[in-house]
Amino acid sequence: MCFSADSTPPVARISGAAVDTRLLTLTAADDTRFAAYEARGDGSGRASVLVLPDVRGLFRFYQELAERFAERGFDSLAIDYFGRTAGVGTRDEAFDYMPHVRLTTHSGVKADATAAVAHLRSLSDAPIFTIGFCFGGSNSWHQAANGLGLAGAIGFYGHPDREFPPGSIPLVQRAGDITCPILGLMAGDDQGIPAEVVEKFRTALAAEGVDHELITYEGAPHSFFDRKYEQFSAASADAWERVMRFVEAHK
């Protein structure tokens, strides 16, 4: 699991920021209904952000992260993956997520992301970025190759060379289909994603001329972006600053 139940984003709240939030239900092209959490910013329309969670789906960590983006003026939408198998809803620590993760498909995630991007476009004409974590990190990068017209795709410790969800082509083999800049924020002590895999991703992106930045935080574990990991607060702060700079540079 990418985060424990009491994890929170290591991003400071902006006191007094006007943020409107709501839970809503979206419908994908295959008529699947799924839950989403919308956080709207100050109406400046600088950029919009689609938040793609880890394996737990629409967990409160990601709702809070959407709010942190909205406080900075970015309309944001966090979505759930499991409308096809678990019904419409948000997920808590009691949710048995792995049976549903195993039933996700590349086409299903793409359909849900497409509906989410369309919803963000209905709010404003701002450029849209995706950001994801672990399972959501690789999902975020995959959407950059799915023809969604994104301005950029950000992934925290996603695996770029794995066939997951089932039926997907590993991302390193799809580099030629990527149509926007890529930001990858990786953990140096991530046992599941060794340095050679990150370098393989870097090589594939460079070979296809994809604008990219892959940063590895030496000694940091998988899922270091968590307020509880005080010993990695500097890495988290740097990662968040890089996210902000990436969005500003490519919006």
Side-chain angles (χ1 to χ4, degrees):
M1 182 167 64
C2 290
F3 296 100
S4 59
D6 59 348
S7 295
T8 56
V11 180
R13 294 177 182 269
I14 297 180
S15 179
V19 176
D20 292 325
T21 64
R22 62 171 178 151
L23 283 167
L24 65 156
T25 300
L26 299 180
T27 303
D30 62 358
D31 291 327
T32 296
R33 298 170 71 247
F34 62 96
Y37 183 79
E38 177 189 282
R40 301 203 63 182
D42 60 7
S44 61
R46 295 163 54 209
S48 297
V49 181
L50 170 58
V51 179
L52 296 165
D54 63 20
V55 291
R56 294 173 301 173
L58 189 52
F59 195 75
R60 58 179 171 266
F61 182 100
Y62 298 103
Q63 296 180 38
E64 291 186 24
L65 186 65
E67 293 170 8
R68 301 293 81 77
F69 277 113
E71 289 167 355
R72 287 152 178 82
F74 306 137
D75 288 341
S76 186
L77 188 74
I79 65 171
D80 183 61
Y81 299 117
F82 308 122
R84 290 167 186 79
T85 59
V88 175
T90 60
R91 312 302 172 189
D92 61 20
E93 55 269 25
F95 177 59
D96 186 11
Y97 54 87
M98 280 311 299
H100 300 281
V101 172
R102 296 186 186 102
L103 293 173
T104 58
T105 64
H106 179 74
S107 60
V109 174
K110 178 181 177 180
D112 293 349
T114 300
V117 166
H119 178 77
L120 287 169
R121 289 203 169 106
S122 77
L123 302 179
S124 79
D125 59 0
I128 297 174
F129 295 79
T130 57
I131 185 169
F133 297 76
C134 186
F135 181 55
S138 53
N139 281 334
S140 176
W141 296 327
H142 270 293
Q143 304 324 304
N146 280 347
L148 301 186
L150 301 176
I154 304 161
F156 277 76
Y157 26 82
H159 201 304
D161 193 25
R162 181 169 58 185
E163 184 185 335
F164 192 68
S168 65
I169 299 171
L171 188 68
V172 292
Q173 298 179 31
R174 304 187 72 208
D177 296 327
I178 292 175
T179 59
C180 66
I182 295 292
L183 175 62
L185 300 159
M186 314 301 288
D189 195 24
D190 191 332
Q191 302 305 306
I193 309 174
E196 55 266 29
V197 170
V198 178
E199 289 308 308
K200 185 176 181 179
F201 189 28
R202 193 190 311 276
T203 298
L205 294 171
E208 297 294 344
V210 176
D211 185 355
H212 66 281
E213 184 179 13
L214 301 182
I215 305 299
T216 297
Y217 294 96
E218 296 302 331
H222 189 81
S223 72
F224 68 86
F225 193 74
D226 182 341
R227 190 178 298 278
K228 291 196 313 177
Y229 285 164
E230 294 181 3
Q231 66 271 46
F232 302 109
S233 60
S236 291
D238 183 80
W240 181 249
E241 285 299 318
R242 289 179 185 275
V243 168
M244 292 293 101
R245 290 201 301 267
F246 181 81
V247 171
E248 290 294 338
H250 299 292
K251 64 183 177 62

